[in-house]
Amino acid sequence: GENVEQHPSTLSVQEGDSAVIKCTYSDSASNYFPWYKQELGKGPQLIIDIRSNVGEKKDQRIAVTLNKTAKHFSLHITETQPEDSAVYFCAARDHNAGNMLTFGGGTRLMVKP
Amino acid sequence: GAVVSQHPSWVICKSGTSVKIECRSLDFQATTMFWYRQFPKQSLMLMATSNEGSKATYEQGVEKDKFLINHASLTLSTLTVTSAHPEDSSFYICSVGGPRGFGPGTRLLVL
C-alpha cells in the first residue's frame, strides 16, 4: 500500500517568514495530494490540493508543488501569521482504493509573533 | 465536499462499557464513509470503510468485533467501541464524500 513520509515533524518560524513542509510518497499510482490543517481538538480542514497532472498550485499565501518523478510534494506558506500555527498533514490518495487517503505523520507549525 | 457532523463531540466512559459514535452526512448521500483514529500527537490512521447496506471493511490490525460499524442509511454511519479500555482513548474522525468531508471528530476518554 501507499506510504507517506512528512518532514519536519515540528517547525518554528518567526511571523512573516516562510514555512516549507515536505512529503514523499511511495505509490506511483497515487494521483491526488491534499494538504490539511488541523487545529487542536478539531477535524482536519482541507487547505489546498494538487493533482498529478499539475506541477504547482497557488492560493494566496499557500502553494503546493509536486514532483511526480521524484514522488515528493511540498507545502509552502509565505508571510506566516500566528493563526497559521497548527498541525499540517499531507496525504496521498491510493489510486486503487477509491477515496481512501493515506496521511503523513504531521508537522506542528508554530509561528512566533 | 460533504458537510459532516459527529455526535458526541466528546465522551468519557468507564472501562468495560460500550460507546456509540455517530457520523452524519448533512448534504450528501454516501454509500461509503471512512472512520479514522488519531492518537495524541499522531497522524490519522484509517480504521475501516463503512459501506451502506453491507459489511464494513476493516484495516489490518483493527478488530472488527471490537469496533462495530453500522451504515444503515446513506446519511448515517455509527461506530461502536465495545468493552472499551483505556488504550481505546483516542480522537475518532469520520470522512464522507471526498477530501473536504471530514467531521469535527469525537474525543473518547476511557477511564
Side-chain angles (χ1 to χ4, degrees):
Chain A
E2 176 66 275
N3 181 49
V4 179
E5 295 194 357
Q6 183 172 345
H7 299 281
S9 56
T10 61
L11 179 59
S12 181
V13 300
Q14 204 66 38
E15 181 178 1
D17 288 350
S18 296
V20 180
I21 303 170
K22 299 182 179 182
C23 288
T24 61
Y25 62 99
S26 62
D27 187 353
S28 57
S30 289
N31 59 359
Y32 176 72
F33 307 92
W35 284 89
Y36 291 88
K37 177 182 181 182
Q38 186 179 31
E39 297 178 333
L40 189 63
K42 297 183 178 180
Q45 177 188 8
L46 180 70
I47 56 172
I48 196 168
D49 55 12
I50 191 166
R51 299 186 184 278
S52 59
N53 59 347
V54 176
E56 184 174 355
K57 183 177 178 181
K58 188 174 181 180
D59 182 4
Q60 298 183 340
R61 297 188 295 109
I62 297 173
V64 58
T65 59
L66 171 65
N67 184 324
K68 193 179 176 183
T69 303
K71 290 190 282 189
H72 65 70
F73 55 114
S74 301
L75 176 71
H76 304 252
I77 306 174
T78 58
E79 300 173 27
T80 54
Q81 302 167 2
E83 49 265 39
D84 294 330
S85 297
V87 180
Y88 291 81
F89 291 97
C90 62
R93 182 156 68 190
D94 186 333
H95 182 73
N96 297 314
N99 285 322
M100 188 193 85
L101 293 168
T102 300
F103 284 85
T107 297
R108 183 172 300 276
L109 174 64
M110 293 169 284
V111 181
K112 295 180 284 187
Chain B
V3 178
V4 183
S5 71
Q6 285 185 238
H7 179 80
S9 56
W10 61 269
V11 57
I12 301 173
C13 70
K14 292 182 179 180
S15 186
T17 60
S18 294
V19 174
K20 180 185 285 187
I21 301 170
E22 294 184 348
C23 174
R24 292 185 183 274
S25 174
L26 302 180
D27 62 348
F28 182 84
Q29 293 192 319
T31 56
T32 300
M33 296 185 182
F34 299 98
W35 285 97
Y36 291 84
R37 179 168 55 182
Q38 185 179 30
F39 291 110
K41 297 187 178 182
Q42 294 189 25
S43 187
L44 285 78
M45 297 298 292
L46 181 68
M47 296 176 65
T49 302
S50 171
N51 303 301
E52 189 266 337
S54 64
K55 292 182 179 180
T57 305
Y58 291 83
E59 295 300 301
Q60 191 173 7
V62 178
E63 299 174 56
K64 63 180 181 180
D65 294 330
K66 180 170 183 63
F67 298 98
L68 301 179
I69 290 174
N70 184 286
H71 192 154
S73 76
L74 292 172
T75 59
L76 174 64
S77 175
T78 61
L79 169 68
T80 301
V81 183
T82 63
S83 187
H85 288 95
E87 57 264 32
D88 298 322
S89 298
S90 188
F91 195 47
Y92 293 86
I93 308 169
C94 68
S95 172
V96 176
R100 295 184 183 277
F102 278 88
T106 296
R107 185 161 300 283
L108 170 63
L109 176 60
V110 185
L111 301 177

